[in-house]
Amino acid sequence: MHSHPSLRESLSRSDIFAGISVDKLTGILNLGHQGAYKTGEALFFEGDPALHFYLVLDGRFKLSKLHENGKEAIVRYINSGEMTAAISAFKKKKYPVTAYAVETSTAVAWDRETMMEMIIHHPEIGINLLGMVIERMDDIQNRYLELQAERVEQRIARALLRIMKQSGRIMEDGILIDFRLSRQDIADYTGTTLFTVSRILSNWEKKRWVRSAREKITIVNPHALVAFSESG
Amino acid sequence: MHSHPSLRESLSRSDIFAGISVDKLTGILNLGHQGAYKTGEALFFEGDPALHFYLVLDGRFKLSKLHENGKEAIVRYINSGEMTAAISAFKKKKYPVTAYAVETSTAVAWDRETMMEMIIHHPEIGINLLGMVIERMDDIQNRYLELQAERVEQRIARALLRIMKQSGRIMEDGILIDFRLSRQDIADYTGTTLFTVSRILSNWEKKRWVRSAREKITIVNPHALVAFSESG
DNA sequence: CGCTCTATTGATAAACCTCAAATACAGTGG
DNA sequence: CCACTGTATTTGAGGTTTATCAATAGAGCG
């Protein structure tokens, strides 16, 4: 079957399926389910019974957790080419995890059993997955440490730099963060309030470190931000 | 080779090697390096060049990260039967991760290559590892959310309950946390200061929720703590 | 019995949240 | 093209939580 050639392209470019031969990829592909998602739509809710492993082909999702007191924490952004898994793939859990599309997006999904089959037949996939998860774990552990050890302003600096690295687009006047990112989003990502984010961004705007509009942020002076984020 | 029978016992009881046949286990064992660690000794520093995957046979370690400003965050405790990996198994990283023995402990270690070999030959191990890492990820993500969304007192309540579940020993007068746990440790685990922890524990002691001595804590009324941790 | 490490407690201050009110902006339908 | 409506954002005032600093007390160890 020679159906999805560009899709197969995406797969072989992803970290997870790197090094898997073309015919194997075709087989893997045929086991997955493709879907399209509009902004705000959920890729999965925690507890989704059927599909558990997702590869983002195009677009971007935000992975967030909702606390019972109403506060939301953005765990990470999942960009195209990246995978994510609903934790319930392995276990039921307390606070719901949800992946919302941040822009129009497409993704492929596999259910748990299929994925396990794939790993059994191609252990490299398991190793790649393991590497990915360990890397993410390291990321969240670092942010956990930063949340404990740093002040809000420093955390926001790091957040912007992280997001910039992943999703920045170079423009003449700086590096534009290439999707709708509100003050509230930044607050949820850094563990503060939209008010505090607003004040800090205003302050940075005066210093010409950033320029911002409604849900759009351009980093004008990344160097200054880096220096600040590292010195506190 | 019929050397370490009790060690093999430990392996087959661990989540990672569950379902692996006895002769395979013997082979796996012979590839690992055993070590003994006194309280305070490091199982690994991040960047340890040789050994990367560790199974705790006996005792307990604390996995912590040190921020450049001197603050320490305890990422989790690793109890006997549990595995942990130095992240540098896959990538170099910024803040050092270190695993310190909290009591006299023993562990087996495998290097990266050996572990990869094992996974290639026994993909179930890869799947088990993946499940373990995803579960830990879920744990740290939950704590990340709680750190953002909850007040100190609530976080300390949850911390004590978590640690109690993992390492509690039932006594006549309550559930004793069975290793040296200082106010500073609790502070590093919950993202606060030893002073605040001390005040809160004193307060709880008045309410008869806990009893505490130097580096020893007994939970007298777990029910009250649970109720408090869930209501805020 | 002195030394060192841990814990307690009080006073003070800083960082940040909360709430309120005003303003700016984007998209929509006429 | 414009008015309208619903968000997003800004900014200020005031309060709360929690960190910081200092000083003291207690526990274990050689």
Side-chain angles (χ1 to χ4, degrees), chain A residues 151 182-184 194-195 198-199 202 214-215:
Chain A
R151 299 284 163 77
S182 68
R183 306 294 184 265
Q184 182 68 59
L194 74 120
F195 308 103
S198 175
R199 278 180 241 275
S202 295
R214 189 185 237 232
E215 295 183 305

Side-chain angles (χ1 to χ4, degrees), chain A residues 83-126:
Chain A
M83 265 200 114
T84 187
I87 313 290
S88 60
F90 285 90
K91 200 172 183 181
K92 305 282 164 221
K93 282 305 294 183
K94 178 162 191 183
Y95 299 110
V97 179
T98 314
Y100 298 105
V102 170
E103 52 195 69
T104 307
S105 308
T106 56
V108 211
W110 294 272
D111 61 35
R112 186 187 186 288
E113 287 69 31
T114 305
M115 203 67 186
M116 295 303 118
E117 279 286 313
M118 277 160 50
I119 294 175
I120 294 286
H121 288 93
H122 316 297
E124 317 92 276
I125 296 179

Side-chain angles (χ1 to χ4, degrees), chain A residues 27-92:
Chain A
I28 287 170
L29 253 187
N30 289 336
L31 294 170
H33 303 267
Q34 240 188 112
Y37 305 83
K38 294 201 198 93
T39 305
E41 250 185 291
L43 175 61
F44 62 78
F45 300 97
E46 188 66 37
D48 186 337
L51 301 174
H52 292 301
F53 289 85
Y54 304 84
L55 175 67
V56 178
L57 297 172
D58 207 61
R60 202 186 317 277
F61 292 84
K62 78 172 180 189
L63 200 66
S64 67
K65 259 178 186 283
L66 189 63
H67 195 275
E68 52 209 349
N69 67 17
K71 283 172 187 152
E72 184 179 339
I74 296 179
V75 171
R76 84 178 268 117
Y77 283 93
I78 317 272
N79 295 297
S80 71
E82 295 185 329
M83 265 200 114
T84 187
I87 313 290
S88 60
F90 285 90
K91 200 172 183 181
K92 305 282 164 221

Side-chain angles (χ1 to χ4, degrees), chain B residues 2-13:
Chain B
H2 292 275
S3 32
H4 321 281
S6 71
L7 225 175
R8 195 166 55 212
E9 264 289 308
S10 302
L11 254 68
S12 64
R13 266 188 285 104

Side-chain angles (χ1 to χ4, degrees), chain B residues 39 77 102-103 177-182 185 214-216:
Chain B
T39 305
Y77 283 94
V102 169
E103 52 196 67
I177 290 173
D178 204 18
F179 61 95
R180 297 209 170 291
L181 183 72
S182 69
D185 288 328
R214 187 184 236 233
E215 296 183 304
K216 283 269 166 265

